[in-house]
Amino acid sequence: MYRVKRQDDPEKNYQLMAYMARRVLEDDSDITACLANISAVINGYMDKINWVGFYIMKDRELVLGPFQGLPACVRIQVGKGVCGTAVAEKKTQVVEDVHKFPGHIACDSASNSEIVIPIIANGQVFGVLDVDSPEFNRFGELENKYLSEICTHIEKKFESLK
């Protein structure tokens, strides 16, 4: 159904990744199934990453959702770590060196940089997209742009289901 066809041009590659994520959201109404496939799409199109997935807000804390990678922290308090900070601030967090981030929660010791984008639907934080890399300073403007675009489509999908 979905086949990863990486492009040599990084921007074209990310455009295709965002397109595939939109297609996933069009194909089913189950948000968990969609997030599972989107994490697989991102994992297939992004290089130099070791973990990608979602944490979902439940009972005022983040709970592990669909992901690709090694087992991870199951629950994260709002305001704690990079993910919890993204929720508390309702703002994307791009961390060049996670070892310098105050209160970083090390789920995978191989991670050295991270990007976390909050997913806000109907004015409330639904969850976050979290992507980790074993490389320092892995995530720049291009990754932020296309991962944020994917999150915007997830937000629209979630809002349409309510």
Side-chain angles (χ1 to χ4, degrees):
M1 184 168 156
Y2 303 103
R3 174 166 280 139
V4 172
K5 295 180 181 177
R6 284 189 187 225
Q7 304 294 308
D8 291 333
D9 178 321
E11 184 144 20
K12 286 182 181 179
N13 187 59
Y14 289 153
Q15 288 170 347
L16 190 54
M17 175 182 74
Y19 168 78
M20 294 301 292
R22 279 194 315 275
R23 290 290 316 274
V24 164
L25 290 164
E26 292 169 358
D27 285 349
D28 203 283
S29 62
D30 186 286
I31 197 72
T32 302
C34 289
L35 296 179
N37 274 335
I38 289 171
S39 64
V41 166
I42 295 169
N43 193 50
Y45 279 95
M46 289 190 78
D47 62 352
K48 302 174 189 166
I49 63 172
N50 59 317
W51 199 92
V52 57
F54 297 91
Y55 280 91
I56 310 301
M57 286 297 298
K58 293 183 182 178
D59 298 324
R60 297 185 305 271
E61 67 181 349
L62 289 166
V63 178
L64 182 63
F67 71 95
Q68 301 271 311
L70 293 175
C73 305
V74 176
R75 297 179 187 278
I76 300 173
Q77 293 177 348
V78 173
K80 302 291 183 183
V82 181
C83 292
T85 300
V87 171
E89 296 180 3
K90 291 186 177 180
K91 181 180 164 191
T92 297
Q93 304 292 308
V94 179
V95 182
E96 296 176 358
D97 181 349
V98 297
H99 309 289
K100 294 180 180 176
F101 189 90
H104 175 254
I105 300 168
C107 291
D108 182 343
S109 62
S111 295
N112 287 314
S113 63
E114 184 171 7
I115 183 169
V116 178
I117 303 168
I119 300 167
I120 302 169
N122 301 310
Q124 299 294 318
V125 177
F126 164 75
V128 298
L129 168 61
D130 180 14
V131 186
D132 295 2
S133 174
E135 294 196 355
F136 292 98
N137 199 25
R138 166 64 182 87
F139 305 104
E141 290 181 29
L142 197 60
E143 290 79 15
N144 191 346
K145 174 183 175 181
Y146 286 100
L147 292 172
S148 293
E149 179 182 324
I150 290 169
C151 288
T152 297
H153 290 293
I154 293 168
E155 291 167 352
K156 289 177 183 175
K157 178 70 169 193
F158 188 73
E159 288 174 348
S160 74
L161 297 175
K162 292 287 179 179

